[in-house]
Amino acid sequence: MFVFKKDFNLTLGSESIPTHVGHLMHISSAKYVDELEREKEEALRPLTSGIMETGMDESGDYKRQVSNESLKDPQVQALSQQLKEWINDVLTDDHIVVKNLCEDLSDGQVLSALIEKLAGAKIEHKEVAQSIASQKAKLTEVLNQINYHLQVVDDGIKWNVDNIHNKYLISVLHLLVALARHYGIPRRLPSFVKIQVLQITKATQQTETISEQITGDEEREHYNFAARQQERDVFDTLFDSAPDKLNAVKGSLMAFANKQLSQINRGCSNIEEDFANGVNLVVMMSLAEGYYVPMYSFSMEPEAYDHKLHNVTLALNLMQEAGIPRPKCTAESIVSKDLKSTLRVLYAIYSKYKHLVK
């Protein structure tokens, strides 16, 4: 199970407390911290087949379960261990320690904290769910958020609510590998990890062994992600070496944006604020490309974080469809009003459509 590490927060009444009681409280607190450290050390020990919960996939016409041989495979154990350590590193500030991947992720609580930390997502329904129905409802909400941030289509999703809740190792690993690749993991995952699965046909009880590939060439994946992170562009140079020219660049891009937006009596005066909800970006793309974006496909007055994120993601997708190279930014960074990211997006649009401004 995962462990919530909690700070001591004692409210004392007006009565005086003897000094030796405070001393005992200090000893108790120290003992509590030691126990938490032991929990974390135990969580970081290598996995063995005896403690790995694998669950079962019972969807469709088959029952599927991970073979015992795969549970003993050093590559499978190494992958599970690295993913667990990564989660614990990410959630250190949230005082969460994961000890068993399948068990601890099954109710959605840890996954909720993870995607909030990685993507800046806001998930309202955060109380601990007790019943199976409430756990699955929570998990549905969390997986919808994860799928949205990963921008995966239905055919590419290798996990679902039932499999995660049933602690099916294959689905849990697919989900975590996808998150690790998307958001970057400081350590390289094992490459070409395959798991042997026992597949039983429900109608005939016939059993066969199939192979499920979990990872590919992770050395290349890791290198590509690191290379993308290290690539510097003109805005990195501008912020680091020529901050005196920043206002001129901002002014030029603002003038371009206002020229476009003025066609429908819109405008902008603050480059970080006025593009953070995505509306002006969607409008600029529709005007530049000469098409109408249906009102039901985005929010004209977004208040919630998710609605703003949807708008910005839509704008970035429209840019990609128009042949504009993807700027070095994320939708989340735009919503968070990151100036450098916003300038990159506006400059990408400007580079494509500057000929439209006279």
Side-chain angles (χ1 to χ4, degrees), residues 16 38 42-43 46 59 61 66 78 101 185 218 221 253 341 349:
S16 61
R38 282 196 296 271
E42 181 182 340
S59 59
D61 298 328
V66 176
L101 286 179
I185 182 170
E218 297 307 312
E221 290 279 352
L253 292 176
S341 296
I349 297 175

Side-chain angles (χ1 to χ4, degrees), residues 116-232:
E116 285 192 351
K117 180 70 74 172
L118 292 173
K122 304 296 181 184
I123 300 178
E124 300 297 332
H125 186 69
K126 293 188 66 174
E127 65 270 14
V128 177
Q130 299 293 339
S131 68
I132 291 178
S134 59
Q135 287 180 0
K136 286 190 173 182
K138 167 75 175 181
L139 194 53
T140 298
E141 181 181 3
V142 173
L143 290 182
N144 285 341
Q145 280 277 353
I146 290 175
N147 295 341
Y148 179 77
H149 287 286
L150 293 180
Q151 299 182 20
V152 290
V153 296
D154 290 344
D155 292 343
I157 299 176
K158 298 180 179 180
W159 52 85
N160 58 50
V161 171
D162 288 333
N163 283 352
I164 300 296
H165 191 264
N166 290 341
K167 307 165 190 175
Y168 184 50
L169 179 64
I170 300 285
S171 295
V172 171
L173 291 180
H174 275 310
L175 173 59
L176 293 178
V177 168
L179 283 168
R181 284 176 175 172
H182 187 79
Y183 290 105
I185 182 170
R187 52 184 68 83
R188 181 173 62 82
L189 298 175
S191 294
F192 306 111
V193 174
K194 292 183 178 180
I195 293 181
Q196 301 304 309
V197 180
L198 301 178
Q199 179 170 281
I200 305 171
T201 304
K202 292 180 181 179
T204 64
Q205 295 301 302
Q206 181 178 353
T207 301
E208 62 177 327
T209 300
I210 61 175
S211 180
E212 179 87 12
Q213 183 156 330
I214 306 298
T215 64
D217 188 347
E218 297 307 312
E219 183 172 0
R220 175 176 293 180
E221 290 279 352
H222 188 71
Y223 173 81
N224 289 342
F225 182 85
R228 289 196 302 270
Q229 293 297 102
Q230 293 173 6
E231 284 178 356
R232 292 180 58 82

Side-chain angles (χ1 to χ4, degrees), residues 71-123:
L71 293 180
K72 300 173 184 177
D73 186 339
Q75 286 285 84
V76 175
Q77 293 186 358
L79 175 62
S80 300
Q81 182 68 14
Q82 288 192 27
L83 290 170
K84 185 174 65 173
E85 291 175 359
W86 173 60
I87 294 173
N88 286 335
D89 289 344
V90 172
L91 298 181
T92 294
D93 294 339
D94 292 300
H95 309 301
I96 294 175
V97 177
V98 171
K99 298 176 67 176
N100 184 300
L101 286 179
C102 296
E103 179 72 31
D104 295 347
L105 272 58
S106 63
D107 64 357
Q109 284 294 115
V110 173
L111 285 174
S112 175
L114 186 62
I115 193 62
E116 285 192 351
K117 180 70 74 172
L118 292 173
K122 304 296 181 184
I123 300 178

